[in-house]
Amino acid sequence: IEAKQTFLVSSASQQPRILRFPATTHFVALKMYSLSSQKKYWTFKTEQELTELRLKQNHNFITKHGAGMTEEQKLAHFLTADEERLLLKQYELQLKEFCKRFEPPMPKYVVGTAFHYFKRFYLNNSSMDYHPKEILATCVYLSCKVEEFNVSITQFVANIKGDRVKAMDIILSNELLLMQELNYYLTIHNPIRPIEGFLIDIKTRCNMSNPDRLRPGIEDFIDKTFLTDAPLMYAPSQIALAAVLHAASKEQENLDSYVTESLFGAAKDKLPVLIEAVRRVRSMVRTIELPQKERVRFLEKKLEKCRNQENNPDSQIYKQRMKKMYEDEDDLDVMGSSYHMNVSDASLDVSQLNTTNPANITID
């Protein structure tokens, strides 16, 4: 499916800009997850793959910024890959709470998309390079746009405590960076629709009384999956089925026959793969470990010392870089207006020449 080649991005000055991307950019949703960019590029087979990607980003950052340090000095100064992972879990909890308190109330699929963006971004980047608190807000804002949850940047930052003008600048300056790191694959398939499909199907083909009573348990389970790597490893339908089965077991309902006979009666060869996927998703949710506050505070302080100052909005290096960028943009604007003026003047002179003396043509 060919994609739109433009994307509207707001600016801090409220002047919208049109960004143009290559024709291969994909914003349009593929109807089936199995054919989607999410399946092709952002679904991983094992947790080991994810671990290796995170280790790579951590190693690359330390190698670049820790030149001349001993191994002991690097260990004391920089975050390890495990420390980064722990800190990112804390920010995932903050993302969840931010979306929960958001006004107007945010739909679940917008929250799910924001989580996907956040997780994907830190497969390609270190938290020492881009602070999670800044990327978190940008992920939610971009998710609102992509999922057509219509809130302006002013409405959005009204949900943020502190300096809202500064927050607006950070979000808008990081927006294009985030899209680039996502490879412009912005369409996310969340488990929300499969869940609705399962509930309708259960009402039709199962003897369970009032399947809607499963909803609270399902929603709680889905919220917890966002705190795991399940969205990066399993299909939305597999996560949805795991949520339904989990909620059913909490209600002392058994849906085994529904799965084996109704869902997979004609495709029993696929059943073992599904059962294993559901088992792994439920295991991930069951074994979630929340970060300890004391440990998080220590890592936050460590991050402030070792983060890339070029990407720190409070640093002089960052402010100088942004000032230079704006000055360069102003210079380009001046050059552009000057060019148009000269072209206009030249056209006028030629017009006057031809009018006053049409025969005034010299051929060498």
Side-chain angles (χ1 to χ4, degrees):
I1 296 178
E2 283 301 313
K4 302 173 186 175
Q5 295 183 46
T6 61
F7 196 82
L8 186 64
V9 178
S10 305
S11 70
S13 62
Q14 301 300 309
Q15 294 294 327
R17 295 178 289 131
I18 297 293
L19 301 179
R20 298 191 178 277
F21 303 116
T24 53
T25 303
H26 294 275
F27 291 101
V28 181
L30 293 171
K31 290 184 178 180
M32 295 179 62
Y33 165 79
S34 60
L35 300 176
S36 69
S37 60
Q38 181 174 338
K39 166 69 173 173
K40 187 174 182 180
Y41 301 110
W42 293 104
T43 301
F44 301 86
K45 292 182 180 179
T46 64
E47 289 181 89
Q48 183 62 29
E49 286 184 74
L50 300 174
T51 300
E52 288 174 0
L53 284 170
R54 289 164 181 151
L55 281 169
K56 178 183 176 183
Q57 300 308 325
N58 179 266
H59 177 266
N60 289 347
F61 183 89
I62 294 174
T63 300
K64 180 179 179 181
H65 297 273
M69 290 186 180
T70 65
E71 290 303 315
E72 290 77 14
Q73 289 172 328
K74 289 178 182 178
L75 192 61
H77 183 68
F78 296 107
L79 297 175
T80 66
D82 287 340
E83 287 173 337
E84 283 200 73
R85 187 75 192 108
L86 184 66
L87 202 53
L88 288 173
K89 283 185 178 180
Q90 176 62 28
Y91 279 98
E92 287 178 350
L93 288 170
Q94 291 186 21
L95 193 161
K96 176 184 174 183
E97 287 303 310
F98 176 73
C99 294
K100 185 178 179 180
R101 297 193 312 267
F102 196 88
E103 290 293 337
M106 188 177 290
K108 288 287 185 183
Y109 57 85
V110 179
V111 180
T113 296
F115 266 103
H116 272 270
Y117 291 168
F118 188 77
K119 291 175 183 292
R120 290 180 182 185
F121 183 87
Y122 286 107
L123 291 179
N124 290 334
N125 296 279
S126 168
S127 58
M128 293 181 284
D129 220 354
Y130 299 99
H131 201 295
K133 69 182 177 184
E134 294 155 11
I135 298 302
L136 180 157
T138 310
C139 288
V140 180
Y141 180 64
L142 182 59
S143 175
C144 290
K145 278 188 172 184
V146 172
E147 297 293 355
E148 299 181 354
F149 178 54
N150 189 23
V151 291
S152 67
I153 184 63
T154 305
Q155 285 178 295
F156 187 88
V157 297
N159 289 273
I160 296 176
K161 297 177 182 177
D163 189 337
R164 289 167 180 167
V165 174
K166 180 181 176 182
M168 185 186 300
D169 288 342
I170 291 172
I171 291 168
L172 296 177
S173 64
N174 283 331
E175 189 177 11
L176 180 57
L177 166 72
L178 175 59
M179 288 191 285
Q180 289 171 336
E181 294 302 317
L182 298 175
N183 261 346
Y184 303 106
Y185 289 113
L186 304 183
T187 298
I188 300 296
H189 295 258
N190 283 297
I192 310 304
R193 287 182 179 176
I195 285 169
E196 295 303 319
F198 281 129
L199 291 176
I200 291 171
D201 196 45
I202 289 170
K203 290 175 184 177
T204 305
R205 298 197 288 172
C206 198
N207 293 325
M208 181 188 298
S209 62
N210 188 23
D212 283 328
R213 62 194 165 96
L214 302 181
R215 287 187 182 277
I218 290 172
E219 290 180 5
D220 180 65
F221 186 91
I222 293 298
D223 286 345
K224 289 177 179 176
T225 63
F226 292 143
L227 304 177
T228 73
D229 282 332
L232 296 172
M233 296 179 62
Y234 297 101
S237 58
Q238 293 172 331
I239 296 173
L241 183 58
V244 170
L245 294 177
H246 171 81
S249 67
K250 291 290 184 182
E251 293 289 327
Q252 282 77 50
E253 295 284 355
N254 191 321
L255 292 177
D256 289 351
S257 61
Y258 165 72
V259 174
T260 57
E261 301 303 327
S262 299
L263 287 181
F264 287 89
K268 291 193 181 293
D269 56 312
K270 299 181 188 281
L271 200 52
V273 175
L274 176 73
I275 291 172
E276 178 60 19
V278 168
R279 187 191 69 78
R280 286 291 302 130
V281 172
R282 295 182 70 177
S283 175
M284 285 180 167
V285 169
R286 189 168 55 251
T287 56
I288 290 175
E289 293 184 10
L290 299 181
Q292 296 180 352
K293 292 182 179 180
E294 295 79 7
R295 183 65 175 159
V296 169
R297 279 196 289 267
F298 170 77
L299 295 179
E300 288 275 17
K301 292 178 181 178
K302 193 174 181 181
L303 176 60
E304 285 303 320
K305 293 178 181 178
C306 69
R307 68 178 296 190
N308 184 356
Q309 292 304 310
E310 290 185 5
N311 297 324
N312 180 2
D314 294 324
S315 72
Q316 286 302 314
I317 298 174
Y318 178 90
K319 290 174 183 176
Q320 289 170 3
R321 180 165 62 86
M322 295 303 291
K323 181 181 178 182
K324 185 178 185 305
M325 184 181 73
Y326 290 138
E327 287 174 350
D328 290 345
E329 285 183 355
D330 290 341
D331 290 343
L332 287 173
D333 289 341
V334 170
M335 289 174 62
S337 61
S338 175
Y339 169 77
H340 290 302
M341 189 182 297
N342 291 338
V343 170
S344 176
D345 292 345
S347 300
L348 180 62
D349 290 340
V350 170
S351 174
Q352 289 173 337
L353 176 65
N354 290 340
T355 302
T356 57
N357 187 4
N360 188 13
I361 302 174
T362 302
I363 301 176
D364 293 331

